[in-house]
Amino acid sequence: MTSVKEDILRVIGLMVGYALQDSVRNALVAQTLDCPHCGASPGKDCRRPSGRRMDVFHLARLQAAEHDLEQFEQAQALIRGNA
């Protein structure tokens, strides 16, 4: 039998794991989109106004990726509902 502390840590670990999965998935989709903020092409890193490469994507690019994923998931749900 597990302790309450072990159960709580397991749940927290699962929550963090799901959050990381979502952020990795969003980053992978973001990489396939143009950045609406700096204009970086798919497959290219976002750029600062100085032209230097950024280590992270602009928020607008991540939001566009999240929007695309939501639309994809809604379409999948419709297909499953009609199948």
Side-chain angles (χ1 to χ4, degrees):
M1 186 166 184
T2 62
S3 70
V4 173
K5 184 178 177 182
E6 289 173 334
D7 289 340
I8 291 171
L9 289 174
R10 186 177 302 109
V11 169
I12 291 171
L14 289 172
M15 290 168 54
V16 169
Y18 288 130
L20 286 175
Q21 287 176 352
D22 285 347
S23 66
V24 168
R25 184 177 65 165
N26 285 359
L28 289 172
V29 173
Q31 188 72 23
T32 68
L33 302 174
D34 288 323
C35 179
H37 185 78
C38 68
S41 301
K44 302 290 183 185
D45 292 327
C46 287
R47 298 281 176 179
R48 299 180 190 281
S50 65
R52 294 189 66 184
R53 183 183 71 82
M54 293 179 56
D55 293 332
V56 295
F57 295 114
H58 282 112
L59 180 60
R61 195 174 192 179
L62 291 171
Q63 288 171 335
E66 188 173 331
H67 177 71
D68 282 5
L69 284 169
E70 287 172 1
Q71 286 185 327
F72 177 74
E73 289 169 355
Q74 289 173 358
Q76 280 185 321
L78 286 173
I79 290 168
R80 278 189 227 115
N82 292 333

